[in-house]
Structures are given as structure tokens and as C-alpha cells.
Amino acid sequence: MNESGTTASRAHPSAQSSAANGSRPQDGHFIIAKCRRNTEPATSNNNQETSEESDCEERMLTVYCRSGRLGAACYTLQTGELQILEEIVDRPPEHQIFLNLFRQVDPVKILLDGKAQSTFVNVVKRTVFDNETNEDGKCKLIFLSSKEYNFEACKRRILTLSLPNEPVSCTEEERAVFLRTVVDFAQTQSVHALGATLRHLDLNWSNMNMDLHGKPEFLSLKRISLADIVTMDEDTYRGLQIFSSLAHPSNFKKGMQGSNKEGLSLFQLFSKCSSVVGHRRMRILMRHPTTDMSVLQCRQDVVSLFMRPQSDSLMRNICSSLRFIKNVNGILAKIKALSTKAYQWKSLYNTLYNAVLICEMCESTGKASEFLEQLASCDNNKLYEMALYMNRIIDFDLSKSEGKFTVKAGVDPDLDMKKQTMASLHRLMSETAKVELERLPLCVQECSMLYMPHLGYLLGVRAWADNLTMEQKELPNMKFMFQNNDYIHYKSKGCEELDVLIGDTYPEIVAHETRIMMRLTDVVLEGLTSLAHVIDMCAELDCLIAISKVCKEYNFVRPELTMDKVIRIKQGRHPLYLASGDTFVPNDAESSAQAGFVKILTGPNSSGKSVYMKQIGLIVYLAHIGSFVPADSATIGIITDIYSRIHSTECVAAHMSAFLIDLRQMSLVLQQASSRSLVLVDEFGKGTAAADGRALLAAALAALLLRAHCPHVLLATHFRDLKTYIVDSPTVRFLRFEHIMDNGEPVFLFRLTEGVADSSFARAGAAASGIPPHVLDRAGVVLNAIMNNELPPENKKITSKLRNITEIIKKDLLTEEI
């Protein structure tokens, strides 16, 4: 009997991966047996959790542009988030608003009307297929027929949209009223875009999600606006090093999604967020510098609070909770579809619990910040209720080990009774196996009991010989069912008794727990709006704390924001130089009606002109994302655009030379710059003949000066005689960088002063770069001749070589004629 008892407790070979201490579905059947501990399921879940959290969110963007007005809608496939862009003016031919929207959304697919305006289509194509703008090459462009954009059809589809936060048990009329509070149907372009998005998802969801029977989930609908954005083109972002993406060095991985990494840039400097949602929000925040004074001052208050030494403990506590904040919309979509994994419930609970903690910690700040006050006043009761229900209902430890939603003991008496019956099954099946083994022939050495949902309880017997026939497999008082590998399965009297006595206990437990999970799901989805709002604010709080860390580390100061047209910076510094170097020479900057709006910088090569221009651009940019700035003090007037001619990236695919790229950038400045624009121009005109370049630069500068309201302009050039070719105006100031001579060599001091530089010291720079001395001597001779309007003297060594070669050629020609 001892032998039979031991044999009966052995697991079936196909069940060796079953979990210990209970039961678990595996390969379509269910085994009750004492098995060895197996940690593979938990390990695989952890790996899966890590991989899902690291996956990028894929977004689909639909755009519709008519008569210079742009409407758009965006859908995130993983999370079910739906966003609609408020209709906005987007001036052709550059369509800067669309370019800003594309950089913020970073879509994998763009839907475009097949009858869109040609200029808009060209901009979209150039943006999608430009390797520099879309470095991963992952975006697809799909043209839709015009009937997909029919206004009435789009409107009808929007009115049938069902959202979790709509009124409970609402009628069609009530849903229409609710949707009109979210969607402004007077904005026709936005309605076209949103309706086309919904219709496309309805028709193509099975191909996009590989789910033949599912349908798209819409967990939220938000309105976004770009009306307050500070317009910047991609060349300006790259030229100022706000973003700097580096491709993977391996040709095998280059171009793959996620293979690029961030180089030395402002975004890399500020990437100190504690959560994944905060890191993603930081990119959006830096892609959306704003002109909204109230938003900027609110952000500055938060940064100022966390820069104080007495706020260090509060910041550490908030950051420790922010680590658990995740974008749970994807989890909620799975919860709604009843396909949630155990670790996702745990992740949702951690997010809820820590979101409540963050809101409570913000209450201690009082009225120090309006943003923190709003976060503290959020409806935490609903979040607390959701977290409390989850904590009391879900057994997270058992859920992790069993890999399914598991309810705690004491929640439901009926469920507890079923689980007690299930707990006794192991003993019952072991005893049944012992009894059955006594009834089996002596040739059978071991057997095991197993459960299959559709067949009930079965007796598994190891084959006692090889190549058994069907007649040999027949056993007395046993009904043959099937054979799996070397195990033969029978339905015995003991199995029939278990079917009657216990029945489908495990499926009943699973069904019971599923019903409890569905009731919990209803409670969770009721608080979806509150949860999404709190997570959104926590993500922005994470960004502002990261900004405060950088500002505190490098001693940034709070800029004074004003609506006046003025930029006044005292002892400004370049933020990236502070992060990568030990020493930096600060300089002042002022652009106002008294100091002039146009600054022309002259100076030798490597004297600091480009760094100074980028420094001013970055300080102004930082002020417009709510950050402090690297200076002793700063007064920044709100601007609407930042344009630059700094970075020229030549590319074979662009079909443009470096000079043509410069012309395109300057063309954008002249067409789009307004009174409240900041224009940075570095060495425009150097890519062609000196006379032509000087003429183009003078003409472009004159066009800006002759406007009724000139923008802020910083221009660096080596054309020292430019003053004679432009309008003499008090708004223009010439500045230069100081230097001293040491043994005939220039030493740059990197200090800005009034005046025009007297030399470029090109030969000194060439000597420092390793140009041979005889080449430099000849360059000096040629330069003197040009300055005196004379021909340079001949180089006798070269001319004698030319004469000798000429004589040799003549002799060879005469010999051939003879």
C-alpha cells in the first residue's frame, strides 16, 4: 500500500510544469498531484511584465486640412486613448502646426485625405519619408477616399461613440448631448478627422490588432490644442541641441524601432524622471513650449518649491511613489475585455495606492503652488475606494504563483467552500488512485488521477508494454478513453464517483472568481476619469521635479516673464556647456526698444559666436517650458516663434546642396517671422561666392529691418563690411568678441563688447589645425595682394616646374609629328 500510495501521487508526465500547492490548467487538462516546485511561470510573468512596460505606444494620426485650417485626431492602439485636435490655422506652404503635431505624436501611421491640397500633401510626404525627421523609418502613410471623410457620415459615427465616463444607462439623445460637451461639431475639420479615425478602426481593427472577434476600445477622449505653442522647426531643435538622436552603430540594428539613443542634448540633461509616464511626458513637454503665461508661472512655482532645501524629504517621498505610477489605460482596456493578467492587477493596484499617497503628500505643501493644490484637491475618495476593494478582494501572492485572478479567503463564503472542496481533492484523488491500483492487473505498476474539463476525472495508467494493441489496452471494469504518449487514460468507477461527488469544481471556482472580477471591473471603470486625470498630473509633476533637480544642480535662476517685447539676460551661460565642462565665460544679452532688436555678431573663428547665439536661444526656450534658466537674472518677454539658420545637414536623399538648405531656412524666417519671433542666423551666405552671399545677407536683413515691427534677431557673420550695405537704423547693434595677442597668436577671451571685429584670424586657426607653414606663407602673400587690389606675385618654384613640364610636352609632340 505504501508503494501504491507513492505511485499514485506521482504527476502525469504532461503535467510536470504544474504549480505546487494546488492546481492549475496546463495543456487543456488539470492535474491534482504533489509536484516539484516550478518557478518558471513566475519568471516568465516578470519577463513579460518588463517587456510590456518597455514597449513603445503605437499611435495612429488622422489629419484633415482645408482652406488653411487643420483638424486632427490621434488613437493609441495599446491604451485606447483617443485625442482630438482643436481646429487651428496652419499656414501654407510650410504647415508648421502639422510639423509640430507630428513631432509630438510620433505616429506609426498617418491617415490622409486623398483629395487634400497639394502643398499639404507634399509637406506630409516630405515629413514621413525624410530620414532625418523620421529616423526610425516606422511611419506609414495611407490615403483614404474622400467618402471616408464625408461630414455627415463622420458625425453619425462620432455620435455612436461609447465612452466609459458617459452617463450610466444613457439614451441615444443623452449620449449625443454628452458627446457635444467633448466634441465641438462646429469645427468641421476636427469632426472629419475624428470620424475618419473611428471608421478606419471599425473596418481594419482585425488586421491592426490580429483579433478577428474583438473591436476597438475607447477608454478616453481628450481635446488637445496647439494654439499656445511656440513654433519651432526641426532644424531649430537640432541646431540648439534640444534633441539629438544617435543611430545604433551596428548596420544590422540601425533603423530598428527603439535602437536609437539620445546623445548630448537638453532632453538628455532633463531625463531624470522617476516613472515611464513622466519620461514620455517630458518629451511632449519639451516639444510643446507654450505662450500661456499662467501655465508657465504655475510650473515655475513647482520648480521653485522643490529647489528649496526644506523640500528634499518631500521630493524623495514623492519620487519613491512616482516609480510605481504607470499608464494604466492599456491595463484598463484588458480589464474591460476580461483578458487581464495577474501582474497587471498588481500594477494597477500599485498605481492607485501610490497616486493616493502623492495626492496626500501634496496636501502638506499648502498654497505654495497652484498645481500641487489642484493635485491635492483631486477626488481621492474614488481612488482610495478602488484600491481598497482590490486589496480586500485580490490575493496578489496566489495570483502571481497561479498565474490567474485569485480571490482572497473570506470574501465569498460559497467560493471558500468550493476552494475547501478543491483543497481536499488531492487527498481524495490519492485515495481513489490507491483503490484503483488494487483493482488493476499486476502488470500495471503505477497510475495517476487527472481532471479534464470536458471529460471529467480520468485514471492515467503508464503503458506496461510497448506496441500494445487495442485488445491488450482493454482492462476489466475500465472504459478506454485515449492514449497520450506512454500514458493510457481510462474512465473507472472511482472516476465516475468523483464526477458525481465533486463535479467540475475547478471550472466552478474559475467562473465564480470571474464573476467577482467582473463586479470589481465595474467599480474600477467607474473611477476611470478620476484615475486618468490624476495619472496625467502625476506625469507632469514627475517632469517638473526632474527639471527642479537640474536647476538646483546647476544653480539656475527663475526668469521674470512679461508680455513686453524684451529679452534681458545678465551673465547668461550655455546649459550644455555647464553639464559637460568646468569653465564657462558668461555674457549679457539685451534685445529691447532701447538696446535694439538686431544684434550683428562679428569675431574671429572659434571666438564663441555660435555658442553665444545658441545660449540665448536655449535660455529663451527654457523660459517657455517653465524651467529656470542658467543666468544671474533674466527677463524674458513671451515670444511666439523661434527660427534659426544654424544647422545645415546635407543629405543625398534631400536633393539639396548646403547653400540651398540655408536658403530654405532663411526663406522660412522671412515668410513666417513676426514681431514676437526670435531669429538666430549663423553665417548665412557662406556657401556661395562672397559677393553674392554678402548681397543676400544684406537684403534679407534689410527686409527684417524695414518691417513695422522687427523681430528679435541675432546674426553672426564674417562680412565685416556689412554695415555699409544695410539701412542705418538705431535698432541695429554691432558686437564683437574680445581677444588679445600673445607672441603673434590670438588668445580668445569669449567676452562680448561693442564694435566690429578687425580680423578673422583664419591663418592662425589654420596653423592650429596643422596646415603646413609654406601654405600659410603663400596665403599671406595672396591676402596682401587682394587687399591692395593687385595680382599676387608668382611662385618661382611652381612656375619653373611648369616651364620644365611644358618643354617636355613640346618635345614629345614634335617627336610624334616627325
Side-chain angles (χ1 to χ4, degrees):
M1 292 300 291
N2 292 336
E3 180 184 357
S4 64
T6 304
T7 305
S9 65
R10 293 179 185 172
H12 192 278
S14 60
Q16 290 300 314
S17 59
S18 298
N21 302 324
S23 49
R24 177 167 184 186
Q26 183 74 19
D27 297 334
H29 60 267
F30 184 77
I31 303 295
I32 295 185
K34 188 174 291 184
C35 305
R36 60 181 175 86
R37 186 178 299 276
N38 187 357
T39 58
E40 290 180 4
T43 303
S44 62
N45 281 346
N46 291 338
N47 292 337
Q48 186 176 7
E49 179 178 2
T50 303
S51 63
E52 289 200 11
E53 289 299 332
S54 62
D55 286 344
C56 296
E57 294 181 350
E58 297 180 350
R59 297 180 181 88
M60 183 180 73
L61 177 66
T62 307
V63 289
Y64 188 86
C65 187
R66 282 288 187 276
S67 303
R69 300 189 68 84
L70 176 69
C74 172
Y75 180 74
T76 306
L77 300 179
Q78 284 78 12
T79 63
E81 294 175 279
L82 194 61
Q83 296 177 325
I84 180 172
L85 174 71
E86 294 181 355
E87 190 174 302
I88 188 172
V89 175
D90 191 15
R91 291 177 292 183
E94 296 297 335
H95 292 284
Q96 285 294 318
I97 296 297
F98 165 75
L99 296 177
N100 281 281
L101 178 65
F102 178 85
R103 288 191 290 267
Q104 281 195 45
V105 173
D106 190 21
V108 297
K109 183 186 295 185
I110 293 182
L111 305 182
L112 184 64
D113 181 14
K115 292 186 178 181
Q117 299 170 349
S118 58
T119 57
F120 183 69
V121 172
N122 292 335
V123 170
V124 175
K125 286 182 177 180
R126 187 168 62 245
T127 305
V128 170
F129 300 117
D130 182 5
N131 290 330
E132 296 173 13
T133 303
N134 186 24
E135 295 176 355
D136 287 341
K138 61 182 180 180
C139 187
K140 296 180 181 179
L141 180 59
I142 299 177
F143 286 91
L144 300 179
S145 62
S146 57
K147 65 180 181 180
E148 297 290 337
Y149 284 90
N150 180 271
F151 182 80
E152 290 301 326
C154 292
K155 184 177 178 180
R156 286 195 300 270
R157 178 59 186 90
I158 294 173
L159 291 175
T160 61
L161 180 63
S162 178
L163 297 171
N165 58 337
E166 67 184 16
V168 181
S169 303
C170 62
T171 62
E172 293 297 328
E173 292 77 11
E174 292 172 340
R175 178 182 288 112
V177 173
F178 168 75
L179 288 172
R180 289 181 185 277
T181 63
V182 183
V183 181
D184 185 359
F185 286 92
Q187 298 182 354
T188 56
Q189 273 74 3
S190 298
V191 172
H192 280 298
L194 180 58
T197 300
L198 299 177
R199 289 162 61 87
H200 182 79
L201 289 172
D202 293 338
L203 295 174
N204 300 277
W205 183 251
S206 59
N207 295 330
M208 297 168 63
N209 204 45
M210 302 301 291
D211 185 0
L212 297 178
H213 304 290
K215 61 180 182 179
E217 298 286 347
F218 304 103
L219 290 186
S220 63
L221 175 59
K222 299 179 182 178
R223 282 193 293 184
I224 57 176
S225 175
L226 298 179
D228 63 329
I229 193 170
V230 176
T231 305
M232 298 172 62
D233 62 348
E234 191 63 26
D235 292 327
T236 302
Y237 276 108
R238 286 200 298 265
L240 295 180
Q241 283 184 267
I242 296 172
F243 295 96
S244 177
S245 182
L246 300 179
H248 197 280
S250 171
N251 288 329
F252 180 75
K253 292 186 177 180
K254 187 179 295 184
M256 293 179 59
Q257 182 175 351
S259 64
N260 290 0
K261 68 175 183 178
E262 192 71 20
L264 179 62
S265 64
L266 207 62
F267 177 70
Q268 190 266 344
L269 181 65
F270 283 102
S271 293
K272 299 182 182 293
C273 295
S274 302
S275 64
V276 176
V277 291
H279 185 77
R280 291 172 180 168
R281 173 56 66 86
M282 180 66 79
R283 183 175 290 275
I284 295 175
L285 185 145
M286 297 187 73
R287 285 288 189 183
H288 194 140
T290 178
T291 60
D292 192 326
M293 182 81 78
S294 60
V295 171
L296 294 176
Q297 290 178 344
C298 185
R299 292 176 182 175
Q300 287 183 349
D301 291 339
V302 178
V303 174
S304 176
L305 173 66
F306 288 107
M307 285 182 67
R308 301 172 187 169
Q310 55 268 33
S311 300
D312 287 347
S313 60
L314 175 64
M315 182 175 66
R316 285 194 299 269
N317 292 333
I318 291 179
C319 289
S320 63
S321 294
L322 283 171
R323 292 188 299 109
F324 297 96
I325 300 296
K326 302 185 184 302
N327 185 1
V328 297
N329 279 337
I331 299 176
L332 292 172
K334 293 182 179 297
I335 288 175
K336 192 174 182 181
L338 301 180
S339 60
T340 319
K341 296 179 175 60
Y343 75 86
Q344 292 173 328
W345 280 105
K346 180 68 173 178
S347 179
L348 176 60
Y349 172 73
N350 287 336
T351 299
L352 284 167
Y353 178 77
N354 287 278
V356 173
L357 281 182
I358 292 171
C359 294
E360 291 177 350
M361 284 187 281
C362 290
E363 293 178 0
S364 63
T365 61
K367 298 185 179 297
S369 167
E370 181 182 351
F371 178 83
L372 297 180
E373 190 177 352
Q374 292 175 0
L375 190 54
S377 61
C378 290
D379 185 12
N380 296 334
N381 293 331
K382 191 63 180 177
L383 302 183
Y384 183 78
E385 179 184 352
M386 294 162 61
L388 186 62
Y389 274 126
M390 292 177 64
N391 185 47
R392 290 183 175 179
I393 292 174
I394 305 175
D395 191 328
F396 292 108
D397 293 333
L398 277 179
S399 297
K400 181 178 180 180
S401 62
E402 297 187 7
K404 67 179 185 65
F405 182 91
T406 306
V407 179
K408 281 184 176 180
V411 174
D412 190 310
D414 294 338
L415 179 62
D416 293 342
M417 184 65 68
K418 293 176 182 177
K419 287 189 175 182
Q420 289 176 7
T421 303
M422 178 63 90
S424 64
L425 273 180
H426 185 273
R427 181 178 56 82
L428 287 174
M429 294 186 72
S430 297
E431 294 295 331
T432 304
K434 294 176 185 178
V435 174
E436 295 294 347
L437 187 60
E438 292 179 355
R439 298 174 181 173
L440 293 171
L442 295 178
C443 60
V444 178
Q445 297 297 320
E446 63 179 55
C447 68
S448 62
M449 295 294 299
L450 62 127
Y451 169 80
M452 299 187 70
H454 300 291
L455 298 178
Y457 294 90
L458 299 176
L459 179 67
V461 177
R462 183 181 291 274
W464 53 91
D466 297 333
N467 302 321
L468 294 173
T469 64
M470 286 300 300
E471 294 180 357
Q472 293 173 334
K473 293 178 184 178
E474 296 291 341
L475 295 178
N477 300 320
M478 299 280 182
K479 180 182 179 182
F480 174 82
M481 301 299 292
F482 64 91
Q483 182 174 355
N484 181 18
N485 296 327
D486 59 344
Y487 256 72
I488 307 173
H489 299 84
Y490 298 91
K491 176 72 77 171
S492 64
K493 290 183 178 179
C495 295
E496 293 175 353
E497 291 174 359
L498 288 177
D499 289 339
V500 175
L501 178 64
I502 301 175
D504 297 332
T505 305
Y506 178 76
E508 289 177 3
I509 291 175
V510 173
H512 202 135
E513 289 182 330
T514 301
R515 290 192 294 271
I516 295 176
M517 183 179 69
M518 293 175 66
R519 291 198 294 270
L520 179 61
T521 298
D522 294 336
V523 175
V524 170
L525 292 178
E526 285 178 6
L528 176 62
T529 304
S530 301
L531 179 59
H533 177 64
V534 171
I535 291 177
D536 194 55
M537 295 193 70
C538 286
E540 185 162 349
L541 176 62
D542 198 2
C543 296
L544 298 178
I545 290 177
I547 291 174
S548 69
K549 292 178 182 177
V550 177
C551 295
K552 186 176 182 179
E553 181 178 358
Y554 297 106
N555 296 319
F556 288 7
V557 299
R558 180 170 183 165
E560 179 186 350
L561 301 177
T562 177
M563 296 305 298
D564 297 334
K565 187 180 176 182
V566 60
I567 297 176
R568 187 176 295 111
I569 301 169
K570 298 295 182 183
Q571 299 295 287
R573 298 175 294 276
H574 195 294
L576 296 182
Y577 270 81
L578 294 178
S580 58
D582 296 331
T583 60
F584 188 84
V585 179
N587 278 292
D588 297 343
E590 183 172 357
S591 179
S592 61
Q594 295 77 21
F597 294 115
V598 179
K599 302 294 187 297
I600 300 178
L601 309 176
T602 58
N605 294 302
S606 303
S607 62
K609 301 187 300 299
S610 298
V611 172
Y612 177 78
M613 292 177 55
K614 293 178 181 180
Q615 165 187 316
I616 303 305
L618 285 173
I619 289 175
V620 172
Y621 168 81
L622 286 173
H624 284 78
I625 64 171
S627 171
F628 286 15
V629 299
D632 288 351
S633 64
T635 301
I636 307 297
I638 296 297
I639 64 172
T640 57
D641 318 274
I642 300 178
Y643 297 107
S644 70
R645 209 305 320 149
I646 296 176
H647 186 76
S648 298
T649 304
E650 295 181 71
C651 177
V652 175
H655 303 291
M656 289 188 292
S657 65
F659 181 62
L660 191 56
I661 294 174
D662 292 353
L663 289 176
R664 187 191 68 179
Q665 294 173 348
M666 182 56 77
S667 173
L668 177 64
V669 170
L670 296 175
Q671 292 177 13
Q672 304 287 350
S674 64
S675 172
R676 289 192 173 272
S677 297
L678 174 62
V679 179
L680 308 174
V681 181
D682 190 10
E683 309 240 2
F684 176 70
K686 66 179 180 180
T688 185
D692 294 335
R694 183 186 293 107
L696 282 171
L697 177 59
L701 188 57
L704 294 174
L705 288 172
L706 292 175
R707 293 185 177 184
H709 301 285
C710 179
H712 301 284
V713 179
L714 278 169
L715 187 148
T717 182
H718 282 292
F719 297 134
R720 299 192 300 276
D721 57 346
L722 184 64
K723 188 174 184 178
T724 60
Y725 299 101
I726 62 174
V727 178
D728 186 12
S729 171
T731 195
V732 179
R733 296 287 189 274
F734 281 85
L735 305 174
R736 64 182 177 86
F737 283 87
E738 295 181 350
H739 69 278
I740 58 175
M741 301 300 295
D742 184 13
N743 295 326
E745 298 293 331
V747 178
F748 302 125
L749 303 179
F750 305 109
R751 287 201 302 259
L752 199 64
T753 187
E754 294 278 347
V756 180
D758 53 2
S759 175
S760 66
F761 294 106
R763 282 186 294 158
S769 300
I771 301 296
H774 68 277
V775 176
L776 297 175
D777 294 339
R778 179 61 181 175
V781 173
V782 174
L783 178 61
N784 291 331
I786 293 175
M787 298 298 292
N788 296 324
N789 199 21
E790 299 174 353
L791 291 175
E794 65 179 16
N795 188 323
K796 294 182 179 180
K797 186 176 181 179
I798 295 177
T799 54
S800 62
K801 286 184 178 181
L802 290 175
R803 291 193 188 98
N804 293 334
I805 294 173
T806 305
E807 292 297 330
I808 293 172
I809 294 173
K810 287 182 178 179
K811 289 180 181 180
D812 291 342
L813 291 174
L814 290 174
T815 303
E816 290 178 0
E817 290 179 0
I818 294 173

